[in-house]
C-alpha cells in the first residue's frame, strides 16, 4: 500500500451529513491499490466490540492518480466514531486519526485500536441545522438562460432610442440595442413550456445604462427599457402557472457608474456620506488611467461595493428579500460571488430562506468552491469545471475519455453529493462563444455534448437559441437577437432537445440516480456510463470518434436492454459483459427491460 496517498478529512467533503439522518464518509487511496476498504464505526459513547459495525465502502470515483471510496451510514444516535480497514493482497492495516496500525496492534495508550474511541475519527453530532439541504426542485429542473435585451420585443413602446431592427442576421455590438423586454418573455412562455423548460435564469433586468445591465443604477427597479415591477410580477405569475420558476442575477459585488451613491462619491470624494459604501484609496476619486478605488476587474464604471458596511448590507439584503418575497422569484444567481465576504453571504442566505425556504442560491465561482457549500451560504455553484470538461471532450476533442472521466469523477469528490445534485451545468452563456460555434459548427458534436449534459448529474441549463441552432463567437457575438423566423430555425435540433428534456423528466435515474462510468479508455473518444435508480437502469454510450466504435462493457449486472429513440434488437448482458457498436458521432441510450 502507498500510505502517502491515503487521505481522509473529518467534517469536510470527506465526511458530511447528506440529510438529517445520513452521513457520507469518504476515503482516498492510490489508484488500483486496494482490494477492499471497510468503514469500522460505532457510537463514541458505546465503542466496544459488541457494538462496533463494519460497512464495506464502494469505489465511487477515480482519477489519474487516486481511487475514492464512499459509505453511507445512519448512526442510531447521530454520534459517530470511526476508522478504516484497508486490505491489499495479504496486507491489512487500520487507519484512524492517530495514523496506521496493523490488525490487533496496540495504540500508544496500550489499548487495542478498536477497543476505545480514543484516536478514532469523529463526527461528533449530526445537527440538522448544519445540513446543506438544497431545494429538492432543482434536481428536477431544466434551466434556460435569457439575456433580456435579446430574447423578444413584446412592447415596442419601451424601445430605447436608436433601437435596431430585429431579424435573424442582426449584428450585436457591445453598445447597440434591439428592444428585448419582459413582455417579450411573457409572450413566449408557451414556447419554453413546449420545449420542457422548468426555470428561467435571467441575466440582470434592473435599471442600468448598458445593454447587459451588469452596471446597476437601481436594484429595486426594473429597467424602463424592459417594463416595470408590475410587469416583472406578471411575468413571475404567468411563468408559475406553466410550472416555470424564475431565477434572477444578483450583482452585489459591484454597482454601476450611475448608481446614485457612487455619483455622490464622484462629486464629493471622501466627504460623501456614501464614501464608506465603496473602497476608496484616495480623497479624490479618479477613473483614469486606472481607477483609484476597487472595482470589478479594472472596470472604472463598476465600483466594488463594501459589503462589510452596515448600510450597504441593509440595502442589498432588502433587495434580496423584496424580489423573493414581494415579486415571487424562486432563486438568485450570485455574480462574482467569491469576491464578497462570507459573513454577507451568511446573512443573505438567512434573509432569502426566510422569504422562501425553497429558493435556490447559486454562486458564480470558477474554482473549487467548498468554502461556500457548507450549508450556511450557497446551495450550489456554477459547474464550470464540468462545463470545460464536456466541451473539451465532445465539442473540441482536445482530451481523451480517460482524462474526461478523471475530471468528472474529481468533481464528484470535490463537493458533497447534495451540492453536485443541484450544480448548475451550463455549456455556454452570454460570457462565452455559443455551443455550436465551440463545436466548429458541427451539430453532431454539439448533440453529443448536449446529450451528456442532459443525462448527467446536476441541473442543466440551455442558453437561449441553442435549441434552434443559433451560433456566435465571443461577446458580443454570442448575444444575437433570438431567431423567431421559423424558416431560419433548426426544427430537427429543437425536436432533439425536446426529446432529451422529456427523457430527463420522465425518468428519475437521469436526475438524481447513481452515475457510474462503464468505459472511458485512454486515447479513445467514446464513453459509456450507467444511470440507475430504484426502478430503472440505463446505459448511455456516446461516440465522438470519426469512425464506428465497438464498446465492450464489463462488470455489468445481468439484464436485457433495448435502445430508446431508435429500432434495435434487445441486448443481453452475458457473463457480466456487453459489446455494442455505435456509429461515428452517434449516441445510444439503452433502457433495461
Amino acid at each position: 500500500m502507498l500510505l502517502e496517498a491515503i487521505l481522509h478529512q473529518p467534517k469536510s467533503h470527506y465526511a458530511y451529513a447528506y440529510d438529517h439522518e445520513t452521513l457520507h464518509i469518504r476515503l482516498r487511496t492510490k489508484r488500483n491499490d486496494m482490494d477492499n476498504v471497510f468503514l469500522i464505526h460505532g457510537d463514541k459513547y458505546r465503542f466496544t466490540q459488541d457494538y462496533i459495525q463494519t460497512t464495506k465502502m464502494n469505489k465511487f470515483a477515480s482519477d489519474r492518480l487516486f481511487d475514492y471510496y464512499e459509505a453511507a451510514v445512519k448512526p442510531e444516535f447521530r454520534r459517530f466514531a470511526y476508522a478504516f480497514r484497508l486490505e491489499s493482497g495479504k496486507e491489512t492495516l487500520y487507519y484512524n486519526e492517530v495514523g496506521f496500525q496493523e490488525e490487533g496492534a496496540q495504540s500508544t495508550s496500550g489499548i487495542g485500536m478498536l477497543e476505545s474511541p480514543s484516536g478514532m475519527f469523529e463526527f461528533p453530532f449530526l445537527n440538522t441545522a448544519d445540513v446543506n439541504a438544497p431545494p429538492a426542485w432543482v434536481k428536477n429542473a431544466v434551466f434556460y438562460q435569457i439575456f433580456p435585451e435579446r430574447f423578444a420585443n413584446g412592447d415596442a413602446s419601451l424601445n430605447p432610442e436608436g433601437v435596431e431592427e430585429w431579424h435573424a442576421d442582426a449584428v450585436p455590438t457591445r453598445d447597440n440595442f434591439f428592444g428585448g423586454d419582459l413582455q417579450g418573455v411573457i409572450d413566449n412562455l408557451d414556447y419554453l413550456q413546449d420545449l420542457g423548460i422548468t426555470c428561467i435564469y435571467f441575466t440582470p433586468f434592473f435599471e442600468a445604462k448598458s445593454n447587459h445591465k451588469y452596471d446597476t443604477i437601481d436594484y429595486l427597479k426594473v429597467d424602463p427599457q424592459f417594463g416595470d415591477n408590475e410587469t416583472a410580477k406578471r411575468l413571475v405569475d404567468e411563468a408559475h402557472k406553466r410550472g416555470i420558476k424564475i431565477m434572477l442575477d444578483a450583482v452585489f459585488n459591484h454597482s454601476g457608474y450611475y448608481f446614485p451613491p457612487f455619483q455622490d462619491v464622484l462629486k464629493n470624494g471622501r466627504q460623501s456620506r456614501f464614501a464608506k459604501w465603496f473602497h476608496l484609496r484616495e480623497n479624490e476619486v479618479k477613473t483614469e488611467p486606472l481607477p483609484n478605488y476597487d472595482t470589478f476587474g479594472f472596470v472604472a464604471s463598476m465600483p466594488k461595493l463594501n459589503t462589510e458596511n452596515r448600510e450597504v448590507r441593509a440595502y442589498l439584503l432588502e433587495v434580496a428579500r423584496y424580489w423573493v418575497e414581494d415579486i415571487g422569484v424562486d432563486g438568485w444567481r450570485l455574480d462574482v460571488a467569491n469576491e464578497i465576504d462570507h459573513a454577507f453571504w451568511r446573512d443573505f442566505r438567512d434573509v432569502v430562506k426566510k422569504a422562501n425556504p425553497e429558493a435556490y442560491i447559486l454562486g458564480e465561482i470558477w474554482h473549487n468552491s467548498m468554502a461556500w457549500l457548507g450549508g450556511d451560504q450557497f446551495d450550489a455553484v456554477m459547474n464550470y469545471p464540468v462545463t470545460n470538461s464536456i466541451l473539451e471532450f465532445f465539442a473540441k476533442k482536445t482530451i481523451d475519455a480517460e482524462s474526461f472521466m478523471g475530471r468528472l469523477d474529481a468533481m464528484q469528490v470535490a463537493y458533497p453529493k447534495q451540492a453536485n445534485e443541484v450544480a448548475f451545468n451550463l455549456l455556454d452563456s452570454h460570457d462565452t462563444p455559443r455551443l455550436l460555434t465551440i463545436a466548429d459548427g458541427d451539430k453532431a458534436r454539439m448533440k453529443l455534448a448536449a446529450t451528456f449534459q442532459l443525462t448527467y448529474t446536476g441541473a442543466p441549463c440551455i442558453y437561449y437559441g441553442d435549441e434552434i441552432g443559433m451560433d456566435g463567437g465571443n461577446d458580443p457575438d454570442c448575444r444575437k437577437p433570438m431567431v423567431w423566423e421559423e424558416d431560419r430555425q433548426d426544427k430537427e435540433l429543437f425536436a432533439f432537445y425536446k426529446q432529451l428534456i422529456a427523457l430527463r423528466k420522465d425518468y428519475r435515474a437521469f436526475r438524481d440516480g447513481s452515475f457510474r462510468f462503464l468505459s472511458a479508455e485512454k486515447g479513445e473518444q467514446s464513453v459509456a456510463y450507467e444511470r440507475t435508480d430504484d426502478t430503472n437502469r440505463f446505459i448511455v454510450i456516446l461516440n465522438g470518434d470519426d469512425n464506428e466504435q465497438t464498446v465492450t462493457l464489463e462488470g455489468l449486472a445481468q439484464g436485457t436492454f433495448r435502445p430508446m429513440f431508435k429500432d434495435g434488437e434487445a441486448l443481453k448482458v452475458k457473463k457480466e459483459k456487453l459489446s455494442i457498436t455505435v456509429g461515428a458521432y452517434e449516441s445510444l441510450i439503452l433502457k433495461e427491460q
Side-chain angles (χ1 to χ4, degrees), residues 171-203:
V171 178
T173 70
R174 293 190 182 278
D175 301 314
N176 62 353
F177 292 86
F178 290 94
D181 52 41
L182 298 188
Q183 185 60 51
V185 179
I186 294 172
D187 294 343
N188 289 286
L189 286 173
D190 289 343
Y191 167 86
L192 298 179
Q193 184 180 23
D194 180 47
L195 180 59
I197 300 306
T198 64
C199 187
I200 300 171
Y201 155 43
F202 282 100
T203 55

Side-chain angles (χ1 to χ4, degrees), residues 1-8 27-30 33-34 66 86 88 91-95 99-101:
M1 299 181 193
L2 185 66
L3 302 189
E4 297 93 324
I6 297 170
L7 177 67
H8 175 73
L27 181 76
R28 189 192 78 184
T29 70
K30 177 188 175 183
D33 200 24
M34 301 296 167
F66 304 109
L86 313 170
S88 179
E91 187 177 9
T92 297
L93 287 180
Y94 286 87
Y95 171 47
F100 298 96
Q101 297 179 37

Side-chain angles (χ1 to χ4, degrees), residues 119-190:
M120 296 296 105
F121 293 113
E122 273 198 32
F123 199 99
F125 197 83
L126 201 171
N127 293 287
T128 300
D130 294 335
V131 178
N132 185 3
W137 64 265
V138 182
K139 291 191 291 187
N140 304 320
V142 177
F143 286 82
Y144 189 89
Q145 182 187 351
I146 288 179
F147 192 81
E149 218 283 317
R150 304 291 161 78
F151 185 65
N153 187 332
D155 186 349
S157 70
L158 303 175
N159 286 355
E161 184 178 351
V163 69
E164 298 188 20
E165 183 181 356
W166 193 298
H167 57 83
D169 297 315
V171 178
T173 70
R174 293 190 182 278
D175 301 314
N176 62 353
F177 292 86
F178 290 94
D181 52 41
L182 298 188
Q183 185 60 51
V185 179
I186 294 172
D187 294 343
N188 289 286
L189 286 173
D190 289 343

